[in-house]
């Protein structure tokens, strides 16, 4: 999930004691279920690998973490899987920053999909050659999770899925923090690609003005005023933007997600951080 190869993460943990060993199956992003889905379908393999690591590092506690507020009523999450506790984590978005904060530094968090690849490596001698990817969006006829060969292009994957509309926006990663794809025929699936989202949007429907509801301020985990930053960036007031905490933005995109006027707050603020890299106007 974090892009760091599991081998490097495990190697760094040999220099410290591990109190908590967590299988991370938290999917709190809209549309995305590429951590939870492998857990539910390959639970024995994933828990076996989790137990291997817990035993190897003599971890005092082991558990599986899922998002408490599951959006799908059809997804049934048991209280335990293969005798390992399932913890329903709660808190404000983004969960991977907030959910594990109280566990302390001696916590090893491993994505559930990574554990499945570890199991295959140990039992079958298989290198990781695939990634679990959610393909969704209003252009996709049947949103679902795929195990995709690394190196497959986004265009090839979408052809395999079938589209009901021609996408006007393609996003790699989540709807809230993903990266726009401009060239799907030359953008490939990587080991940590979690999702490909295909949307068709009428740009005119997005061109609304701020209605002053304050939702972006309430939602911002960094305590910023996203709309003021948006205004400063769009009007090139660099010093004002920096004084308002421009570079404290963590890029979670919560502000854009909650904005009823559909202002592209997060994208604009991110561009502002690039445009105004320091205090010099």
């Amino acid at each position: 999930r974090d892009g760091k190869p599991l081998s490097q993460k495990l190697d760094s943990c040999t220099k410290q004691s591990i109190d908590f060993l967590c299988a991370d199956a938290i999917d709190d992003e809209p549309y995305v279920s590429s951590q939870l889905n492998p857990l539910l379908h390959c639970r024995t393999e994933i828990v076996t690998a989790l137990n291997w690591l817990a035993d190897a590092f003599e971890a005092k506690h082991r558990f599986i973490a899922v998002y408490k507020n599951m959006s799908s009523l059809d997804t049934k999450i048991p209280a335990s899987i293969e005798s390992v506790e399932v913890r329903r984590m709660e808190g404000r978005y983004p969960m991977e920053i907030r959910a594990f904060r109280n566990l302390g530094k001696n916590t090893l968090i491993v994505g559930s999909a990574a554990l499945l690849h570890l199991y295959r490596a140990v039992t079958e001698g298989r290198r990781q050659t695939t990634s679990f990817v959610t393909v969704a969006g209003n252009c996709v006829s049947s949103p679902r999770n795929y195990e995709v060969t690394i190196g497959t292009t986004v265009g090839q994957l979408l052809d395999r899925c079938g589209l009901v509309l021609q996408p006007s926006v393609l996003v790699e990663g989540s709807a809230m923090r993903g990266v726009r794809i401009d060239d799907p025929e030359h953008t490939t699936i990587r080991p940590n690609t979690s999702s490909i989202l295909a949307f068709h949007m009428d740009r005119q429907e997005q061109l609304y003005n701020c209605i002053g509801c304050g939702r972006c301020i309430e939602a911002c985990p960094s305590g910023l005023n996203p709309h003021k930053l948006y205004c400063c960036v769009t009007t090139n007031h660099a010093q004002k933007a920096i004084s308002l905490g421009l570079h404290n933005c963590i890029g979670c995109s919560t502000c854009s997600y909650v904005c009823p006027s559909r202002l592209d707050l997060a994208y604009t603020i991110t561009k502002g951080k690039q445009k105004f890299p320091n205090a010099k106007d």
Side-chain angles (χ1 to χ4, degrees):
R1 180 195 290 271
D2 57 14
K4 179 185 290 187
L6 181 58
S7 58
Q8 292 183 13
K9 184 179 291 189
L10 298 181
D11 184 58
S12 65
C13 289
T14 60
K15 303 173 184 177
Q16 67 182 80
S17 61
I18 299 298
D19 294 328
F20 295 91
L21 201 296
C22 169
D24 179 8
I26 292 178
D27 286 311
D28 63 333
E29 301 275 7
Y31 306 103
V32 181
S33 57
S34 54
Q35 292 289 337
L36 182 62
N37 185 266
L39 172 68
L40 296 179
H41 285 85
C42 303
R43 58 186 69 191
T44 299
E45 295 91 332
I46 289 173
V47 171
T48 297
L50 175 70
N51 287 329
W52 287 343
L53 293 183
D55 292 342
F57 289 108
E58 300 182 346
K60 300 176 183 177
H61 309 279
R62 65 196 75 181
F63 66 96
I64 299 164
V66 301
Y67 183 41
K68 181 177 182 180
N69 300 317
M70 292 297 299
S71 59
S72 174
L73 297 179
D74 296 329
T75 302
K76 306 298 182 183
I77 308 297
S80 64
I81 296 177
E82 303 288 334
S83 300
V84 175
E85 175 195 4
V86 174
R87 294 190 186 181
R88 290 165 172 79
M89 311 296 281
E90 59 182 328
R92 292 177 61 189
Y93 178 87
M95 289 293 292
E96 72 265 26
I97 295 175
R98 299 176 178 276
F100 304 107
R101 184 172 291 172
N102 296 326
L103 293 179
K105 295 182 179 180
N106 296 336
T107 302
L108 174 59
I109 302 168
V110 182
S112 60
L115 288 168
L116 178 55
H117 288 300
L118 174 62
Y119 177 87
R120 292 173 176 176
V122 173
T123 61
E124 304 172 29
R126 290 170 57 184
R127 293 173 58 92
Q128 181 183 353
T129 59
T130 60
S131 181
F132 293 92
V133 181
T134 301
V135 181
N138 62 3
C139 293
V140 180
S141 57
S142 299
R144 57 176 294 184
N145 290 281
Y146 293 87
E147 184 170 3
V148 186
T149 300
I150 295 169
T152 301
T153 69
V154 172
Q156 290 171 331
L157 178 56
L158 293 177
D159 288 342
R160 173 182 171 187
C161 300
L163 299 177
V164 294
L165 291 172
Q166 185 62 32
S168 55
V169 177
L170 288 173
V171 177
E172 177 185 344
S174 71
M176 297 173 72
R177 290 190 289 169
V179 177
R180 180 167 178 155
I181 299 172
D182 294 318
D183 187 359
E185 300 306 324
H186 293 90
T187 301
T188 59
I189 301 301
R190 304 188 309 278
N192 62 328
T193 300
S194 63
S195 61
I196 299 295
L197 307 179
F199 299 106
H200 180 83
M201 295 185 292
D202 185 343
R203 186 58 183 168
Q204 286 302 117
E205 293 182 356
Q206 296 180 289
L207 300 180
Y208 297 111
N209 293 320
C210 173
I211 62 175
C213 67
R215 292 183 186 178
C216 60
I217 301 172
E218 295 175 359
C220 179
S222 298
L224 305 175
N225 187 321
H227 183 252
K228 282 189 176 180
L229 289 172
Y230 173 87
C231 293
C232 289
V233 172
T234 54
T235 56
N236 291 313
H237 285 81
Q239 296 293 345
K240 181 65 173 177
I242 292 170
S243 68
L244 290 172
L246 175 67
H247 293 283
N248 293 329
C249 171
I250 63 174
C252 70
S253 295
T254 306
C255 52
S256 291
Y257 182 67
V258 301
C259 178
S261 295
R262 304 180 186 177
L263 295 176
D264 206 350
L265 299 169
Y267 178 81
T268 303
I269 292 170
T270 299
K271 287 297 182 183
K273 291 170 67 176
Q274 300 170 358
K275 187 177 182 181
F276 311 137
N278 51 49
K280 295 180 180 179
D281 196 343

